[in-house]
Amino acid sequence: MYMKPLRPGDLTEMYITFLDAFSDYPIPFKLTKEQFVRKFVQKLKLDFNLSVGAHNYDGSLAGFIFSAINYYEGKLMAYNGGTGVRPNSRGQRLTSQMYDYLFPLLVEKNIKACVLEVLTSNDRAIKAYERIGFEKTKYFKCFVLNKKMETFYAERGLHTIEIVNVKSPNWNLYERFCDYEPSFLDSKRMITDNLANETVVEARQDDICVGFAIYQPAFGRISQIGIDENKRRQGIGKALINYTLETSLQKKLTIINVNDDSDGTKRFFEHLGFENQIDQYEMILTL
């Protein structure tokens, strides 16, 4: 087995290896190659030079770490957007070997820390990351909505709300509407780099923005959503969720990594019928 950085020419092998590595994952991944590229190359902004593959000596890929580099919590960090090892290559501590290969490359690029998310139920992976040096830093809830919502205009008073598409986020305003800091993948910097695949809408009342949603129509995934604190419990959030659902290709919605400390946000999603699908730990290793 040998380690080397991944290359764009490896995409087909990466896709096949990804499907095999996650074939027994609790949440099934049913991605086409096009969706795989959109999710990891475009959305994640995968850095091939700092992503590593574990290769068998016949050249086939046995495992991988997909990395994205950006600022998070004031530091330049390497985000692990996916670690996978094929079932027939497990038990060799390949994740540890790949990180041993990767750490010097990250230090050379002046990257200060590594961050990842892992299912709270995945004890084997958590122990592996802790052996490497990662520590738990946050507890996240992930939600899914499978039902079709009724038209928001039926809600009393919502005839005064207009949902408007905008070209770019008004971050100074939106940050005041949110109850928690987003995780790495849905941070301001990552969304800004991926605007081509995100839709940004605002809920306006008398031409004043009172809420917003940023989402990926191709996947039905909400990246961020927030409501003016003084305008909550008036149906504005429901209007945004309904619009997001109706304009997404996937007729279900997901939102990942809601901070467990944000009780108001959790109640908001639960009230609208979202179900807590999985929980994750954020883990960080300082280099």
Side-chain angles (χ1 to χ4, degrees), residues 115-132:
V115 58
L116 57 83
E117 290 118 25
V118 60
L119 291 179
T120 58
S121 60
N122 195 343
D123 292 332
R124 183 176 62 182
I126 292 168
K127 290 176 181 177
Y129 289 130
E130 288 177 334
R131 283 196 299 267
I132 294 168

Side-chain angles (χ1 to χ4, degrees), residues 55-266:
H55 295 259
N56 296 303
Y57 277 100
D58 64 2
S60 61
L61 193 60
F64 57 83
I65 293 176
F66 297 155
S67 299
I69 312 301
N70 217 322
Y71 284 89
Y72 179 59
E73 297 186 343
K75 296 179 182 179
L76 188 61
M77 293 197 189
Y79 174 73
N80 181 337
T83 296
V85 175
R86 287 188 164 189
N88 62 4
S89 297
R90 292 173 186 168
Q92 304 178 60
R93 295 198 171 184
L94 287 186
T95 299
S96 179
Q97 292 182 55
M98 287 188 286
Y99 265 115
D100 286 343
Y101 177 88
L102 191 56
F103 284 150
L105 302 180
L106 300 177
V107 171
E108 184 181 348
K109 297 294 185 181
N110 204 32
I111 293 164
K112 302 302 183 184
C114 298
V115 58
L116 57 83
E117 290 118 25
V118 60
L119 291 179
T120 58
S121 60
N122 195 343
D123 292 332
R124 183 176 62 182
I126 292 168
K127 290 176 181 177
Y129 289 130
E130 288 177 334
R131 283 196 299 267
I132 294 168
F134 284 86
E135 297 180 350
K136 298 171 186 172
T137 49
K138 293 177 184 175
Y139 189 99
F140 292 136
K141 297 281 188 181
C142 303
F143 294 90
V144 61
L145 177 72
N146 284 308
K147 71 175 186 178
K148 184 176 177 64
M149 295 181 66
E150 60 270 28
T151 305
F152 65 79
Y153 288 113
E155 190 81 12
R156 186 179 65 182
L158 282 183
H159 62 277
T160 63
I161 297 297
E162 182 183 12
I163 307 297
V164 179
N165 281 269
V166 296
K167 291 184 178 180
S168 58
N170 181 347
W171 290 119
N172 290 334
L173 180 63
Y174 297 172
E175 287 172 351
R176 300 202 299 268
F177 289 173
C178 295
D179 288 340
Y180 64 94
E181 290 291 326
S183 63
F184 181 99
L185 191 58
D186 293 323
S187 64
K188 174 173 66 175
R189 287 179 178 269
M190 290 296 289
I191 290 175
T192 299
D193 289 345
N194 189 52
L195 273 182
N197 294 297
E198 305 271 359
T199 294
V200 185
V201 294
E202 293 182 353
R204 294 183 182 175
Q205 190 172 48
D206 298 326
D207 208 31
I208 297 173
C209 178
V210 292
F212 78 97
I214 303 173
Y215 63 103
Q216 301 164 45
F219 293 102
R221 195 172 93 69
I222 301 169
S223 301
Q224 286 195 28
I225 187 169
I227 311 297
D228 184 335
E229 188 175 3
N230 298 315
K231 296 289 185 177
R232 295 176 182 175
R233 291 173 292 279
Q234 297 180 26
I236 296 168
K238 181 178 180 180
L240 286 164
I241 291 295
N242 188 82
Y243 183 91
T244 301
L245 182 61
E246 291 297 324
T247 54
S248 291
L249 297 178
Q250 302 291 331
K251 293 310 175 188
K252 71 174 184 178
L253 296 178
T254 58
I255 183 164
I256 66 169
N257 298 345
V258 175
N259 199 307
D260 189 50
D261 294 333
S262 182
D263 292 332
T265 302
K266 290 189 297 183

Side-chain angles (χ1 to χ4, degrees), residues 3-45:
M3 311 295 156
K4 70 173 184 178
L6 297 170
R7 295 287 181 259
D10 298 327
L11 272 173
T12 297
E13 182 75 6
M14 288 162 58
Y15 171 62
I16 294 170
T17 304
F18 173 85
L19 292 181
D20 192 24
F22 285 91
S23 59
D24 55 355
Y25 198 65
I27 305 299
F29 284 93
K30 297 179 181 178
L31 298 178
T32 65
K33 185 179 178 183
E34 180 185 3
Q35 290 171 327
F36 174 82
V37 170
R38 184 175 294 177
K39 181 179 179 68
F40 290 101
V41 179
Q42 298 176 6
K43 166 64 177 175
L44 181 63
K45 296 296 180 186

